[in-house]
Amino acid sequence: YRRRSTFGWVQDRGIGDRLIRQIILGTKTATACPKIIYSATEIAELYDSVGHHMTVVDKDGTLRCSIFQVAVFETTFGNPDARLFRGEGYDNAEGFKKAHRHVWDDLLKQRHSVLSNDTVLLVEVFKHVGSSALTRASSDARIGVDIARS
């Protein structure tokens, strides 16, 4: 698909690959990042992606799977919308907050910011719609590399 959603960033400590595996397995149906990380153009593109199919790529640009973008909205870190924490695999907001308290530290530091309860998160809700043979092979190869590194 023409539209792309990238999971992971340089020095993400393997987070991007883990998230993509969760999408492929169907256990992850939402993602979020502090709004301050995005440019105005990126924010507009995210909102425009609702109702469209997207190709999920990793931080290296490798095609991994396809999703359908269901919704994009804002919520705060301190009081996250249930669609976010449930889509991230948590039963409650506290579990989500505990797991994400330091996930974005390096990205926020680059913006001279820190995470607080008032931090606005930009949320994407999606559904996994498939993995072609190419993206499945790419995912399987990366999973094998991750296991080999363990």
Side-chain angles (χ1 to χ4, degrees):
Y1 299 103
R2 179 181 62 81
R3 296 171 190 270
R4 297 203 170 183
S5 183
T6 303
F7 283 80
W9 60 93
V10 175
Q11 299 178 342
D12 70 2
R13 301 173 305 280
I15 292 170
D17 283 334
R18 187 184 81 234
L19 299 178
I20 292 169
R21 286 193 302 271
Q22 292 171 344
I23 293 167
I24 292 169
L25 292 171
T27 59
K28 180 175 182 64
T29 59
T31 196
C33 197
K35 186 177 179 181
I36 193 172
I37 302 299
Y38 296 96
S39 70
T41 300
E42 290 169 327
I43 292 169
E45 288 172 355
L46 273 179
Y47 278 103
D48 189 48
S49 71
V50 174
H52 294 278
H53 288 90
M54 300 176 72
T55 300
V56 172
V57 298
D58 63 23
K59 65 184 173 192
D60 299 318
T62 303
L63 307 178
R64 301 292 291 275
C65 65
S66 300
I67 59 175
F68 181 78
Q69 193 82 301
V70 175
V72 173
F73 61 91
E74 296 177 12
T75 191
T76 61
F77 180 76
N79 189 25
D81 187 289
R83 292 173 291 173
L84 170 58
F85 66 76
R86 289 189 184 125
E88 288 271 14
Y90 298 93
D91 293 330
N92 57 57
E94 291 310 311
F96 168 82
K97 290 178 355 184
K98 181 178 179 185
H100 288 79
R101 188 154 316 277
H102 296 288
V103 168
W104 305 294
D105 284 353
D106 55 338
L107 296 173
L108 288 167
K109 186 176 181 182
Q110 292 172 13
R111 303 296 195 285
H112 308 288
S113 186
V114 295
L115 188 66
S116 73
N117 283 337
D118 295 329
T119 298
V120 175
L121 303 178
L122 194 54
V123 179
E124 299 174 64
V125 177
F126 50 83
K127 60 183 176 180
H128 177 249
V129 293
S131 301
S132 70
L134 173 64
T135 59
R136 249 194 322 276
S138 173
S139 295
D140 291 346
R142 290 194 178 270
I143 290 168
V145 169
D146 289 346
I147 291 169
R149 288 184 188 153
S150 299

